[in-house]
Amino acid sequence: MMIAIIGAMQEEIDYLKKKMKNSWTEEVYHFEFHYGDIGNKKVVLVKSGVGKTNAGLLIGTLLSQCEVDYIINLGVCGGVSDKVNLFDLAVVDKYFYGDVELPKHEYFYGQMSKCPRYFELNSKLKKTIKDNFPKENYKFVSCYTSDTFVDKDNYPKVKAIIDHHFSHYDISIFDMESTAFAHASYLLDIPFVAIRTISDLVPETNWKEYNLNLEQAIIKSSEFVYKLVLSL
């Protein structure tokens, strides 16, 4: 069994990289694939880069190099201040594109061609998480993914989109990759989950506070993913 673990930024993979045993690295294009062991599990750890295009390119490159049985995305994200708290551990249950708009007579806003309304957490992974982690240690959430870092300046525009198109789905976090990973995993029939820690609250947290929170948030999601890998 091979488990792929992906972070968008170098900081998001450094913690688990130090935990790996028998590790070695292979560079393919601009991606560095770190192979090794976490416990008795074979893993490949890689930085994708930020954004949906990098996410899709990474999945294609990854699967050209090896077969994987699970894909886990870890890292940080922004959260809606009245729905989550700073440093909450978010397990994404539903994945939405926030910047996809196809013909209205055929598709819902956010729905990609020949895909479901949204992508869902794999049922086996969901059961594994429920069986191995106390429910007070994490929250199942809905995620809004776009090529925008959501902050207090652009949040009014994002909130208007959510209120108009996603009001029934209780979206509580924002990121720039998870739904693209979920999309690729759906098409390739590979179980996928995104594990994110809330590093900033929209619209309150500013850029300086985000950077101050980053290390603590990354450690929390990394420790959760480490335990999840051992549970698979």
Side-chain angles (χ1 to χ4, degrees):
M1 180 172 68
M2 176 69 78
I3 302 167
I5 306 171
I6 306 167
M9 303 183 295
Q10 187 64 40
E11 300 96 318
E12 293 174 323
I13 67 169
D14 281 343
Y15 182 91
L16 287 182
K17 187 178 176 184
K18 294 174 183 176
K19 295 281 189 180
M20 292 171 62
K21 306 296 184 183
N22 307 313
S23 62
W24 57 281
T25 300
E26 180 179 17
E27 185 170 347
V28 182
Y29 300 111
H30 68 286
F31 298 116
E32 290 188 347
F33 294 93
H34 308 286
Y35 295 89
D37 303 325
I38 290 180
N40 64 347
K41 305 297 168 63
K42 299 294 183 184
V43 302
V44 54
L45 179 68
V46 59
K47 180 189 77 173
S48 64
V50 174
K52 305 198 306 295
T53 300
N54 280 326
L57 180 59
L58 180 277
I59 294 294
T61 307
L62 168 68
L63 294 181
S64 74
Q65 302 304 304
C66 61
E67 293 185 7
V68 299
D69 299 280
Y70 296 96
I71 298 175
I72 301 172
N73 173 222
L74 87 163
V76 301
C77 65
V80 181
S81 60
D82 60 351
K83 295 184 179 181
V84 292
N85 299 309
L86 198 61
F87 302 117
D88 277 353
L89 197 291
V91 177
V92 182
D93 192 23
K94 294 182 177 64
Y95 303 82
F96 295 85
Y97 281 123
D99 52 5
V100 170
E101 188 170 13
L102 298 181
K104 295 179 178 63
H105 64 280
E106 291 187 54
Y107 298 96
F108 293 103
Y109 183 94
Q111 183 181 9
M112 189 57 79
S113 176
K114 299 181 181 178
C115 289
R117 174 74 173 93
Y118 52 83
F119 304 101
E120 294 188 81
L121 172 59
N122 172 264
S123 58
K124 183 177 180 180
L125 282 170
K126 188 170 187 176
K127 184 178 186 304
T128 299
I129 290 168
K130 285 183 171 181
D131 289 346
N132 289 278
F133 295 89
K135 61 182 180 180
E136 62 270 17
N137 287 8
Y138 63 90
K139 294 181 177 180
F140 286 120
V141 302
S142 295
C143 176
Y144 173 108
T145 297
S146 67
D147 279 324
T148 299
F149 183 90
V150 180
D151 59 20
K152 63 181 179 181
D153 294 325
N154 55 42
Y155 179 62
K157 180 180 178 180
V158 172
K159 186 177 185 301
I161 292 172
I162 292 172
D163 290 345
H164 185 67
H165 297 288
F166 306 118
S167 59
H168 299 300
Y169 295 105
D170 196 29
I171 287 173
S172 54
I173 70 167
F174 311 103
D175 75 8
M176 299 177 66
E177 301 86 24
S178 289
T179 303
F181 288 133
H183 182 179
S185 300
Y186 167 83
L187 293 176
L188 296 165
D189 198 26
I190 300 172
F192 168 78
V193 62
I195 308 292
R196 301 275 185 154
T197 305
I198 310 301
S199 58
D200 52 293
L201 294 173
V202 182
E204 285 84 356
T205 309
N206 59 39
W207 181 251
K208 181 179 179 180
E209 292 168 327
Y210 160 78
N211 282 290
L212 290 173
N213 297 336
L214 194 60
E215 182 178 2
Q216 183 179 342
I218 288 170
I219 290 173
K220 188 167 185 178
S221 59
S222 297
E223 289 178 341
F224 190 96
V225 169
Y226 182 85
K227 295 174 184 176
L228 176 58
V229 167
L230 296 178
S231 302
L232 293 173

